Amino acid sequence: MNDKCNGVKMPERTVPFPTSISPEARAALHRAVGEDGIPLNARHVMPDTSDFNGWMKLKAFADIYYQSAAERLAGQVRATAETVQIGEACVHIATPSGAFSEDHAYIDLHGGALVMGGGIACRVGAQSHADQHGIRCYGIDYRMPPEHPYPAALDDCITVYRHLLTQYRPENIIIGGRSAGGNLAAAMTLRARDEGLPLPAALVLLSPELDLTESGDSFQVNRLVDVVLPGSLMPNNLLYAKGVDLAHPYLSPLFGDFSKGFPPTFLQSGTRDLFLSNAVRMHRLLRRAEIPVELHIFEAMPHGGFMGAPEDRELSEEVTRFVKQRLRPDLSRE
């Protein structure tokens, strides 16, 4: 019998905020922890998966936060938005102000741990992407648990993608998502491929939640070090899956078969992101499958970014460049 410890025993210590990042980024990290050094978000405890009312209360509380943040951003966006119903999916269609290409489209899938982040936050997010890329953006306000567990959200994404394929050439469509939205962007692409649909031009996966089994190294190494997402989202994952195997590729795209084809992909994470392993492992999988892929890891960045620091602007510029290259190669040299 081997008595050796199956891991590295860590002494109690404080992980300092590094001086290797911008002052704005350091300030963002400071704001996210209490005087005791514990991330403020670590105080939130997810309900039991059977507690329907508890989840509804949590969603209502989160909606207030998301709405407040979206309203602050709403004054900065220029794109207009209309909301339509496509099948069971609610879709916010954002149109840039001024002249823009009618031939290209961006599908945006919002984050929110698979249970939050819809409504006004989804709409303003679509407007922001329309502004950023100068093309029409479709923000899918997908259905979420506890009312609508898997596969409702994925069904909505596929329904909208099928619809857009009647209006746009697949090579003129980009699909992007942050966090839970990154999960859905990758999952819907795998499912679309499996159902015989043409692949989009590319994917943009920002701090993507690609592994609902949470098997990666960073789920342990970055626990509490990530001040935005300090701990496991397993209650959310189980609520979303509702009994389906979490390792299924449509739930955890990291376990998909990429040898059958996948679009060029932009991956982003940070050294303090709980989901860092998701991006790192996905990068290696796509490289092995000879899929064009970019991996951008930002110093000390937690899940979702620094909320306005120079590093966030640099990331936005990288995404803009990637989207332009994939949609309009003739313009990428401008």
Side-chain angles (χ1 to χ4, degrees), residues 38-57:
I38 303 298
L40 299 177
N41 282 353
R43 300 173 182 174
H44 301 295
V45 178
M46 298 299 178
D48 185 87
T49 54
S50 63
D51 186 1
F52 182 91
N53 290 334
W55 283 101
M56 295 303 293
K57 289 179 181 178

Side-chain angles (χ1 to χ4, degrees), residues 197-211:
L197 297 177
L199 297 177
L203 297 185
V204 175
L205 308 180
L206 306 178
S207 192
E209 189 177 11
L210 298 174
D211 176 16

Side-chain angles (χ1 to χ4, degrees), residues 218-231:
S218 63
F219 284 95
Q220 297 299 323
V221 174
N222 282 349
R223 186 170 58 86
L224 291 180
V225 175
D226 186 337
V227 296
V228 174
L229 187 57

Side-chain angles (χ1 to χ4, degrees), residues 81-94 107-108 122-123 126 137-142 156 159-161 163-164:
E82 65 170 324
T83 301
V84 302
Q85 199 76 18
I86 300 176
E88 295 292 321
C90 175
V91 183
H92 306 290
I93 306 176
I107 298 175
D108 178 48
C122 178
R123 188 190 75 213
C137 178
Y138 296 79
I140 304 179
D141 206 339
Y142 51 84
D156 290 348
T159 296
V160 175
Y161 185 58
H163 175 77
L164 292 187

Side-chain angles (χ1 to χ4, degrees), residues 292-314:
V293 59
E294 294 186 17
L295 175 63
H296 298 259
I297 305 297
F298 284 78
E299 171 78 344
M301 184 176 280
H303 183 70
F306 294 115
M307 309 303 172
E311 290 88 341
D312 299 298
R313 293 191 289 275
E314 184 178 346

